[in-house]
Amino acid sequence: MTVQRRGISKTPESSAIEKKIKRGNAQRQASSWRGKVITLLLLTGVTGLVSWMYFTWADDFTHTLVSRSEILTQPRVFTVECSEDYKKYKFFPGCTPSKCGRAITDSVVTLEEAQKLRRLAERGLSLAGSDGGASILDLHSGALSMGKQFVNIYRYFKNELRDVFTEDDFELYRDVRSRIQKVIAETFGLDSKQMYLTKPTFFSRINSTSAKTTHDEYWHPHIDKETYGSFDYTSLLYLSDYGLEFGGGRFVFMDPSSNRTVEPRAGRVSFFSSGSENLHRVEKVTWGTRYAITVSFTCDPDYAIDNPSLPVGSTRLKGTDE
């Protein structure tokens, strides 16, 4: 999900990015054409040829890295060659990506913890929400979707917060964020102390409501390093299950030869280096509601943000959210 999109100047790098996006669009157009051909062949009874053509083309264009039904006890890691993006930014030894890729794990966050974080998101987003299909809640900045804009939850709902969040909510959020940072560092061979949380880091709630503003258009292909500048590593913690609680909404890596998808599962963490080696998008949600947390990291301390904390005077009695 992209909260804010920036214009990209016409540089050799941006031209390369545009080519990747156009390649992805061409793949999807070919996929649509493939479906029409299959339908025609089915009508003419060429079943054997249809099956061969479908599975051959499906392998060429779409590959599922991890399905929702799988449970990964160890990170499943896919190495890709680093792009040139990072050379345009200051180099930070022990952190700036030199080993790039993507990984998925189900062993960092428990299902119970994911359910607690989802309830936190549901309570916070119940205060407002976007008119379109994508709403966000940022506990760091306080940004909350409201209609076609954003409000600061710590100012706008200051008096209601005591009935929404507990200190235990924030403690769990901070602990999970720390664990995600640790697994990213271990997987990519980094010094976790040289990694810093950066913005935007936020909860997202996506449903099938049509977009009302550009903030709701989460499905466009994009590159986090180009979009935000500060990002070096991106992670997604899923809080709901693909195919059970929502349809569509898969995470898609758009590689030159194929699209590679991750099917969300509550408690699953997907993370990757943020350059153009990981051009990606999210499929449109077709039914139900998809919840997730985007947690972003930078190597540049100038872009670091602090952990969120519940404002003084807003703490509820423990257990009152059950």
Side-chain angles (χ1 to χ4, degrees):
M1 175 180 175
T2 304
V3 179
Q4 181 180 0
R5 297 175 59 82
R6 298 178 183 172
I8 301 177
S9 58
K10 295 292 183 178
T11 64
E13 293 83 0
S14 64
S15 296
I17 294 167
E18 290 178 354
K19 288 179 181 178
K20 287 188 177 183
I21 294 174
K22 289 178 180 178
R23 187 182 299 117
N25 291 335
Q27 289 170 358
R28 288 190 292 280
Q29 291 172 359
S31 178
S32 175
W33 175 81
R34 178 176 73 241
K36 294 177 182 177
V37 171
I38 290 172
T39 300
L40 177 61
L41 291 175
L42 279 172
L43 292 174
T44 59
V46 192
T47 307
L49 180 59
V50 168
S51 299
W52 176 82
M53 292 174 73
Y54 176 81
F55 287 109
T56 298
W57 284 339
D59 287 341
D60 287 342
F61 289 95
T62 302
H63 176 67
T64 301
L65 296 181
V66 184
S67 69
R68 191 268 305 168
S69 60
E70 293 181 84
I71 301 177
L72 305 181
T73 56
Q74 296 292 329
R76 183 172 293 176
V77 182
F78 303 88
T79 301
V80 296
E81 184 178 354
C82 289
S83 64
E84 299 292 314
D85 302 358
Y86 309 102
K87 293 182 179 180
K88 297 183 291 184
Y89 299 85
K90 185 177 179 181
F91 180 80
F92 293 91
C95 183
T96 296
S98 58
K99 173 186 175 183
C100 294
R102 58 201 62 155
I104 306 97
T105 179
D106 296 323
S107 60
V108 173
V109 180
T110 68
L111 176 59
E112 180 182 10
E113 290 170 332
Q115 290 171 337
K116 288 182 178 179
L117 288 169
R118 174 168 169 169
R119 290 197 294 270
L120 187 166
E122 289 173 335
R123 292 195 305 269
L125 288 162
S126 70
L127 294 172
S130 169
D131 287 342
S135 299
I136 73 156
L137 168 64
D138 185 338
L139 293 180
H140 301 267
S141 68
L144 174 67
S145 299
M146 177 179 278
K148 294 181 175 65
Q149 58 186 359
F150 298 94
V151 297
N152 188 317
I153 192 172
Y154 299 126
R155 297 175 187 164
Y156 201 91
F157 296 101
K158 182 178 181 180
N159 296 329
E160 290 93 335
L161 288 185
R162 68 176 65 90
D163 298 318
V164 179
F165 303 126
T166 70
E167 183 53 45
D168 285 349
D169 292 331
F170 281 73
E171 184 177 347
L172 174 60
Y173 180 91
R174 292 189 292 263
D175 183 43
V176 165
R177 190 279 304 169
S178 179
R179 277 182 265 155
I180 292 174
Q181 181 171 344
K182 181 179 179 182
V183 74
I184 293 175
E186 290 175 348
T187 301
F188 289 107
L190 312 172
D191 181 355
S192 63
K193 295 180 181 178
Q194 301 300 315
M195 297 172 60
Y196 305 93
L197 195 65
T198 193
K199 62 180 180 181
T201 285
F202 55 92
F203 289 88
S204 61
R205 182 187 68 195
I206 306 175
N207 58 38
S208 59
T209 304
S210 60
K212 300 298 188 295
T213 72
T214 56
H215 297 297
D216 301 317
E217 297 178 1
Y218 57 85
W219 55 82
H220 296 295
H222 64 280
I223 297 161
D224 289 343
K225 190 68 178 173
E226 293 289 336
T227 302
Y228 301 108
S230 61
F231 281 31
D232 289 299
Y233 302 94
T234 308
S235 72
L236 290 306
L237 166 57
Y238 298 109
L239 305 179
S240 51
D241 290 299
Y242 166 77
L244 295 179
E245 298 174 278
F246 64 92
R250 294 182 300 173
F251 188 94
V252 183
F253 290 106
M254 301 176 66
D255 293 335
S257 62
S258 66
N259 289 335
R260 305 180 192 275
T261 64
V262 176
E263 297 181 355
R265 175 189 179 91
R268 171 165 291 168
V269 178
S270 174
F271 55 93
F272 51 94
S273 51
S274 302
S276 58
E277 69 276 1
N278 282 315
L279 173 69
H280 62 274
R281 64 184 179 91
V282 173
E283 294 176 328
K284 289 185 179 181
V285 171
T286 56
W287 60 268
T289 305
R290 178 190 191 269
Y291 285 90
I293 308 175
T294 297
V295 185
S296 317
F297 297 95
T298 183
C299 298
D300 190 339
D302 288 342
Y303 291 99
I305 61 174
D306 293 329
N307 279 318
S309 59
L310 192 62
V312 176
S314 298
T315 305
R316 281 191 291 148
L317 294 176
K318 294 182 177 180
T320 57
D321 63 330
E322 298 300 329

